[in-house]
Amino acid sequence: MKNPDLPCDLHLHSYYSDGTLSPRELVVRAREKGLAAISITDHDTVSGQGEAQAAGREQGVEVISGIEFNVREEGLDIHVLGYLFEPRDAELRKAARQLEKDRRERLGLMVNKLRKEGIDLDLAEVMREAGKGTVGRMHLARKLLEEGYISRIQEAFTRFLGVDRPGYVPRKTLALSRVVEMVNKAGGVTVWAHPGVNGRNRELLQRLIDCGVAGVEIWHPNHNRETVEYLLREARARGLVCTGGSDYHFAEAMKADIGEMAVPYKSVIDLKKKTRDI
């Protein structure tokens, strides 16, 4: 068994969703940074998992399967990470294909709304920006930057694409219970991604636990020391796995580089133990 103190990054995005690096490039970067294990948690897709696993074997980096889903729970947008599932699972792949279709439809609606604001973007060009990825707001943000409508990526969300902004369209999501059940049936476990701290954390955490969520992402670029300490207390008191990662997408949107928000390999060990308990 690997040393439980070895560093890992369990939250990375490739160009199969809204990152810019290939799964292989992410694995190579992980090896260069001395990481023992990583997970590529692309949004709503498992398309890059086979490539990541092959690169991991080649580079000597353990790659555990990953995915990131959005769900609506108690009126809030919550992100749920799935780990250690079988990427070829038929139900999971079917759900991912439907979500990809929904994303394309949403993108068209957002482009149309932006046109009413005097922003003329070509839908086909935005789709090309996505390349192999599951298209999303980040690809639209990159196009807005390229066309000179904004000066930095984050401005796209504060001015146009964030909730209640003129180009925003709510996404279609899966129910939390379905996400948890689907990942569990595929042999994996689920984790609440970057929950932050708000007045409803305890209530929401209990709701997620009741649905079968097995862990909480503690270490994340958006979490300050006080948030980490609070989440650690809550997770440990409830017997949840503590995970984390850089949430790396690409350099322009980077809050932490690959491996910069490292977690101990013990997190991987604990996730594996949870899969045996399901």
Side-chain angles (χ1 to χ4, degrees):
M1 182 180 290
K2 287 190 177 74
N3 183 332
D5 295 325
L6 291 172
C8 308
D9 192 331
L10 303 182
H11 196 156
L12 301 169
H13 293 277
S14 79
Y15 65 17
Y16 283 99
S17 64
D18 50 353
T20 56
L21 298 180
S22 70
R24 187 181 188 282
E25 288 172 320
L26 288 171
V27 172
V28 170
R29 290 277 298 277
R31 177 187 57 76
E32 292 171 347
K33 292 177 177 293
L35 298 180
I38 65 167
S39 185
I40 296 176
T41 54
D42 284 328
H43 297 280
D44 300 333
T45 184
V46 293
S47 296
Q49 294 300 311
E51 180 182 336
Q53 293 285 348
R57 290 189 292 271
E58 172 195 303
Q59 297 292 321
V61 176
E62 182 177 354
V63 176
I64 70 171
S65 58
I67 193 169
E68 184 169 7
F69 291 107
N70 286 67
V71 302
R72 291 289 292 177
E73 193 66 25
E74 305 291 338
L76 295 177
D77 186 29
I78 294 173
H79 291 218
V80 176
L81 296 161
Y83 291 115
L84 292 164
F85 54 85
E86 169 51 64
R88 294 169 295 183
D89 179 78
E91 184 181 355
L92 197 150
R93 293 178 76 88
K94 180 180 178 181
R97 286 194 298 270
Q98 181 59 52
L99 288 169
E100 184 177 1
K101 180 175 179 289
D102 293 340
R103 279 174 169 270
R104 291 195 299 268
E105 292 175 356
R106 180 192 188 211
L107 184 75
L109 293 173
M110 286 192 288
V111 168
N112 287 337
K113 290 190 76 172
L114 288 173
R115 285 198 182 112
K116 295 176 182 177
E117 300 297 318
I119 297 173
D120 190 18
L121 296 179
D122 184 271
L123 178 59
E125 290 185 4
V126 180
M127 292 299 296
R128 281 194 290 272
E129 179 72 31
K132 296 181 179 182
T134 51
V135 70
R137 287 185 297 167
M138 188 65 79
H139 301 111
L140 195 48
R142 287 187 208 157
K143 202 64 185 172
L144 287 168
L145 181 63
E146 182 183 320
E147 296 293 330
Y149 289 106
I150 55 174
S151 58
R152 56 190 179 87
I153 286 289
Q154 190 56 40
E155 188 182 346
F157 297 91
T158 56
R159 289 182 59 191
F160 302 116
L161 305 179
V163 177
D164 296 327
R165 296 293 88 199
Y168 180 75
V169 174
R171 79 176 74 216
K172 293 181 181 178
T173 62
L174 301 175
L176 171 63
S177 57
R178 185 183 175 200
V179 167
V180 175
E181 181 182 20
M182 185 169 58
V183 173
N184 287 355
K185 281 184 175 179
V189 292
T190 49
V191 169
W192 186 8
H194 44 72
V197 173
N198 62 60
R200 300 180 63 188
N201 266 90
R202 286 187 174 88
E203 170 194 344
L204 285 167
L205 183 55
Q206 189 57 52
R207 168 66 179 148
L208 269 67
I209 292 170
D210 291 343
C211 279
V213 172
V216 177
E217 187 173 51
I218 307 292
W219 298 278
H220 185 275
N222 289 346
H223 291 172
N224 59 25
R225 185 179 65 182
E226 291 76 15
T227 300
V228 168
E229 290 173 352
Y230 164 78
L231 292 173
L232 272 174
R233 287 195 302 271
E234 289 292 316
R236 288 170 175 167
R238 297 164 188 260
L240 298 170
V241 179
C242 298
T243 74
S246 63
D247 204 354
Y248 180 86
H249 288 72
F250 54 97
E252 294 87 346
M254 182 177 70
K255 291 187 177 180
D257 200 357
I258 297 168
E260 209 168 287
M261 195 61 60
V263 296
Y265 187 76
K266 183 180 185 302
S267 294
V268 177
I269 296 171
D270 291 344
L271 286 171
K272 290 178 178 179
K273 287 178 180 176
K274 286 289 185 180
T275 65
R276 295 193 287 271
D277 293 339
I278 293 171

